[in-house]
Amino acid sequence: MGKLLEVKNLQVQFDIFGAHVQAVRGVTFELNKGETLAIVGESGSGKSVTSKALMGLIPNPPGKIKEGQIVFEGKDLVANTEKDWMKLRGKDISMIFQDPMTALNPTMKVGKQIMEGLILHQHMSKSQARERAIDLLRRVGIPNPEKRVEEYPHQFSGGMRQRVVIAIALACNPKVLIADEPTTALDVTIQAQILDLMRDIQKDTGTAIILITHDLGVVANMAQRVAVMYGGKIVETGTLDEIFYNPKHPYTWGLLSSMPKLHAKTDKLQAIPGTPPDLSNPPKGCPFAPRCPYAMKVCVDQMPAYTHLSETQKAACWLQDERAPKVEPPKTIGVGGE
């Protein structure tokens, strides 16, 4: 497929009230043309900060990219000026934000909001941009688009607003689409429609998608590869099958164990005890060690390096060291099982 985007040792820090919050700590991954990569983890793990860094949306101050590279089509974007980012955003890299109501301007008609990017990046006339906006609304499944292009966001339901946000994100046929929790606020029926829509659009346009989510059910429906993030770091990566059926990191085990099971004999969900680490004072060892039932002294004292488990899977966990005791994953991680 070929690499489209490479993130290398990305480090993002926020200086707030005298504290230095290390929100992203050495994140490295790549995105291939036409694929969907899911980045999963609990709230506070650094997923959304990573996605905003890819769009040049880290507010400075208080935030800054301390170190690392974001290489898109051979160019490092970290050195971009705001003018450079404005040329790139919406045109080559676009984003579906988490809350469609706050992502849309309530004082502007939805058609005008779609037209903005087309006029700026595609140099269309207003009449051309309006026709394209109508076509995009039709494409994302909004009925009677000729009429609705003149309406305001409050006149749309939550699912329809999310479709408008997708239309804006897709207006200029971006090469990379970042979807930050695109279905969180939607009911399951609308959620399924939005995911089907994103799959169809990807099939038609070849757009690569970075899916930011904590919902493993969404991941199972959308992704080809998965990166598991915790404490500002990626702790495991692999193909969808590797992460769901042969995970190696205890945090991944915990996430999979917390998924509802169709044929479970109890209605009680598994939970991961404890809370994520304080990233203003991050641990020197594995960030998951305080919550990990298998933690050893070395886990607390020293950050584990990645162990390459296959050509596509790697995990940062001392349990994968050849000197570590053999630990069997819990039986509760079976996907869809009991």
Side-chain angles (χ1 to χ4, degrees):
M1 285 186 286
K3 292 177 188 176
L4 184 62
L5 178 74
E6 287 184 89
V7 177
K8 303 177 182 178
N9 191 34
L10 182 66
Q11 299 182 36
V12 181
Q13 178 175 298
F14 291 88
D15 299 325
I16 304 172
F17 302 118
H20 305 296
V21 180
Q22 299 172 45
V24 176
R25 305 188 295 143
V27 162
T28 296
F29 64 87
E30 60 191 45
L31 179 71
N32 297 316
K33 294 176 181 178
E35 77 165 345
T36 298
L37 168 70
I39 302 178
V40 304
E42 291 170 279
S43 296
S45 59
K47 309 183 304 296
S48 290
V49 174
T50 299
S51 70
K52 286 180 172 64
L54 302 183
M55 291 283 289
L57 293 175
I58 300 296
N60 186 5
K64 61 184 176 182
I65 295 178
K66 278 184 64 182
E67 202 173 311
Q69 295 178 290
I70 302 168
V71 181
F72 174 69
E73 294 189 324
K75 183 190 175 186
D76 185 5
L77 305 183
V78 170
N80 272 6
T81 63
E82 180 58 24
K83 189 175 180 181
D84 294 330
W85 278 115
M86 287 181 69
K87 291 178 182 176
L88 191 77
R89 285 189 208 115
K91 180 175 180 286
D92 293 317
I93 304 177
S94 201
M95 191 165 184
I96 301 170
F97 290 94
Q98 186 168 351
D99 184 350
M101 197 58 218
T102 57
L104 295 170
N105 185 333
T107 68
M108 285 175 62
K109 294 175 181 178
V110 297
K112 189 173 181 182
Q113 295 187 56
I114 299 170
M115 290 163 59
E116 278 186 322
L118 296 167
I119 293 168
L120 176 65
H121 296 302
Q122 303 291 326
H123 309 295
M124 290 185 180
S125 67
K126 285 186 178 180
S127 60
Q128 289 173 323
R130 188 178 185 281
E131 286 305 309
R132 171 72 170 149
I134 291 170
D135 182 59
L136 283 162
L137 290 177
R138 183 180 294 111
R139 188 174 179 186
V140 298
I142 291 180
N144 198 9
E146 294 85 0
K147 175 178 177 290
R148 307 219 70 180
V149 75
E150 297 295 332
E151 293 181 348
Y152 291 90
H154 73 270
Q155 295 173 274
F156 290 74
S157 67
M160 288 295 176
R161 284 196 295 265
Q162 190 64 298
R163 289 170 187 266
V164 173
V165 172
I166 292 172
I168 293 170
L170 294 171
C172 298
N173 297 319
K175 296 171 184 175
V176 176
L177 178 63
I178 301 168
D180 187 3
E181 302 279 8
T183 59
T184 294
L186 307 176
D187 65 56
V188 291
T189 305
I190 302 301
Q191 182 183 89
Q193 293 174 4
I194 295 295
L195 295 179
D196 286 343
L197 171 63
M198 289 174 63
R199 266 195 300 268
D200 290 344
I201 287 166
Q202 185 178 45
K203 193 184 298 181
D204 292 343
T205 64
T207 298
I209 296 174
I210 297 175
L211 179 64
I212 310 289
T213 185
H214 64 268
D215 188 333
L216 294 178
V218 171
V219 173
N221 281 317
M222 287 289 295
Q224 286 88 50
R225 287 194 303 120
V226 183
V228 181
M229 200 164 178
Y230 183 79
K233 288 183 164 291
I234 289 178
V235 297
E236 184 169 8
T237 60
T239 65
L240 182 68
D241 283 351
E242 286 169 336
I243 296 300
F244 272 68
Y245 296 104
N246 192 29
K248 297 298 184 183
H249 197 285
Y251 180 61
T252 312
W253 298 348
L255 288 180
L256 291 168
S257 295
S258 67
M259 287 181 69
K261 307 297 189 296
L262 187 61
H263 303 295
K265 295 174 182 176
T266 175
D267 57 3
K268 186 177 180 181
L269 293 175
Q270 295 281 333
I272 303 173
T275 56
D278 176 6
L279 294 182
S280 64
N281 184 28
K284 63 178 181 178
C286 172
F288 189 58
R291 304 174 72 185
C292 180
Y294 314 101
M296 303 172 285
K297 186 175 185 301
V298 68
C299 302
V300 177
D301 294 340
Q302 192 174 335
M303 190 77 71
Y306 285 110
T307 299
H308 290 264
L309 305 159
S310 73
E311 288 185 6
T312 51
Q313 186 178 18
K314 62 181 181 180
C317 180
W318 283 112
L319 289 178
Q320 301 308 315
D321 190 285
E322 59 185 15
R323 298 164 292 179
K326 300 303 175 190
V327 174
E328 290 295 320
K331 293 179 180 178
T332 50
I333 67 171
V335 177
E338 300 183 1

